């Protein structure tokens, strides 16, 4: 079976996607900035490569011959990190590098992980515009992420068939893999149940969209209900 390139393979989503892809028999090229920090990634069927997702030449050099690429990179891993070093253009640069790099290598599938902050709330506003629903302090990151989504949409008629899968606000690193997920639109349901997703089921959705692409050049939400998945 052909391979998948995972950018951000050392992170929570990237590790889950790498594990899901390996379990299905894909070989994985795991891209991290400093392989020495991730000796545990170097397992059977996984090749670890050093690289920055904002470098189109690096992307082109790494992705050739693969079935598709996954963008699971985040320059921000939690509020304690602050935003002093956050480049507001980070996700735009990543989108450009991925679209250009994949196109020049002849790889036409990109699955990107989104951010719940730019889904729409019950009032139709982006969640990040509601200070009661989204911490204003994290807004710079949400704006940067959203700019990356806009860039994918602006370039939506190019040769790379992309999809962004956006989890709900509660994305659980310790949540179990159920193998199931719902796919929604720009607005999460507001029916009193709590949208929730484990990283493991996010990875199921990501690898599904590489293995059998269903959504094309669009952003969708991906979620479960916590009530259904937690005993
Ligand atoms: N509820 C939600 O909507 C929600 C919650 C969490 C995450 N997310 C999204 O899910 C995606 C993945 O997040 P995560 O939780 O897996 O983040 P994470 O655990 O912080 O991992 C992110 C990874 O990105 C890598 N990285 C950072 N800058 C890079 C660069 N320039 N080039 C290549 N790799 C780089 C980091 O590795 P190195 O530092 O070693 O390079 C890190 O391992 C992000 O888009 C994030 O915003 C959404």
């Amino acid at each position: 079976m052909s391979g998948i390139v995972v950018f951000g393979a050392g992170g929570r989503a990237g590790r889950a996607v790498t594990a899901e892809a390996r379990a299905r028999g894909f070989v994985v090229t795991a891209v991290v900035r400093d392989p020495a920090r991730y000796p545990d990634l170097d397992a059977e069927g996984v090749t670890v490569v050093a690289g920055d997702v904002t470098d189109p030449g690096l992307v082109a050099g790494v992705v050739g011959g693969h079935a598709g690429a996954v963008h699971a990179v985040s320059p921000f891993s939690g509020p304690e990190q602050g935003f002093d070093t956050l480049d507001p253009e980070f996700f735009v640069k990543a989108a450009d590098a991925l679209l250009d790099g994949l196109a020049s290598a002849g790889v036409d599938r990109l699955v990107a992980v989104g951010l719940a902050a730019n889904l729409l709330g019950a009032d139709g506003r982006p969640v990040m515009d509601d200070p009661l629903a989204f911490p204003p302090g994290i807004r710079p990151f949400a704006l940067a992420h959203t700019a990356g989504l806009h860039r994918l949409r602006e370039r939506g008629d190019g040769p790379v068939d992309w999809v962004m899968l956006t989890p709900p606000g509660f994305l659980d690193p310790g949540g179990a893999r159920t193998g199931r997920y719902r796919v929604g639109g720009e607005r999460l349901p507001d029916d009193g149940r709590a949208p929730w997703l484990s990283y493991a089921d996010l990875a199921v959705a990501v690898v599904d969209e590489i293995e059998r692409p269903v959504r094309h050049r669009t952003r969708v939400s991906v979620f479960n209900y916590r009530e259904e998945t937690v005993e």
Side-chain angles (χ1 to χ4, degrees), residues 49 67 79 177:
V49 172
R177 179 190 188 281

Side-chain angles (χ1 to χ4, degrees), residues 26 43 64 86 108-109 124 127 143 157 164 174 180-181 185 196 198 200 215 219 227:
F26 284 98
L86 177 68
D108 65 3
R109 187 60 169 165
V127 170
L143 290 170
D157 58 355
M164 178 175 280
R180 301 185 307 272
Y181 56 88
W196 172 91
S198 66
R215 281 104 194 158
R219 183 276 283 277
E227 297 87 333

Side-chain angles (χ1 to χ4, degrees), residues 13-230:
R15 283 177 182 277
V17 170
T18 297
E20 179 68 26
R22 283 298 301 132
R24 296 193 200 183
F26 284 98
V27 297
V28 174
T29 299
V31 184
V32 299
R33 285 180 297 180
D34 179 6
R37 288 178 51 211
Y38 302 104
D40 59 310
L41 279 182
D42 198 2
E44 185 187 350
V46 180
T47 302
V48 182
V49 172
D52 189 307
V53 74
T54 60
D55 178 346
L58 176 283
V59 173
V62 167
V63 300
H66 291 75
V70 175
H71 173 13
V73 168
S74 175
F76 171 76
S77 294
E80 67 285 351
Q81 186 181 333
F83 297 107
D84 291 348
T85 59
L86 177 68
D87 176 0
E89 293 291 304
F90 177 86
F91 285 96
V92 171
K93 292 173 182 170
D96 283 339
L98 287 162
L99 294 175
D100 291 340
L102 266 69
S104 68
V107 176
D108 65 3
R109 187 60 169 165
L110 171 66
V111 181
V113 178
L115 185 71
N118 53 39
L119 291 173
L120 303 182
D123 60 4
R125 286 186 296 168
V127 170
M128 67 179 157
D129 289 349
D130 178 356
L132 296 178
F134 189 79
I138 304 176
R139 195 174 159 78
F141 177 69
L143 290 170
H145 221 302
T146 305
L149 171 58
H150 289 329
R151 180 54 58 96
L152 289 173
R153 285 175 163 154
E154 282 165 12
R155 298 189 54 181
D157 58 355
V160 177
D161 178 17
W162 61 272
V163 64
M164 178 175 280
L165 305 182
T166 300
F170 193 172
L171 183 58
D172 188 349
R177 179 190 188 281
T178 69
R180 301 185 307 272
Y181 56 88
R182 290 173 164 80
V183 177
E186 294 284 315
R187 189 183 300 218
L188 284 171
D190 182 28
D191 60 4
R193 293 185 287 176
W196 172 91
L197 195 66
S198 66
Y199 274 91
D201 282 338
L202 172 64
V204 173
V206 167
V207 179
D208 280 354
E209 282 290 344
I210 297 275
E211 199 168 26
R212 294 180 302 279
V214 174
R215 281 104 194 158
H216 306 281
R217 296 180 166 81
T218 189
R219 183 276 283 277
V220 296
S221 50
V222 178
F223 60 99
N224 280 314
Y225 289 112
R226 187 161 176 75
E227 297 87 333
E228 293 174 346
T229 49
V230 177

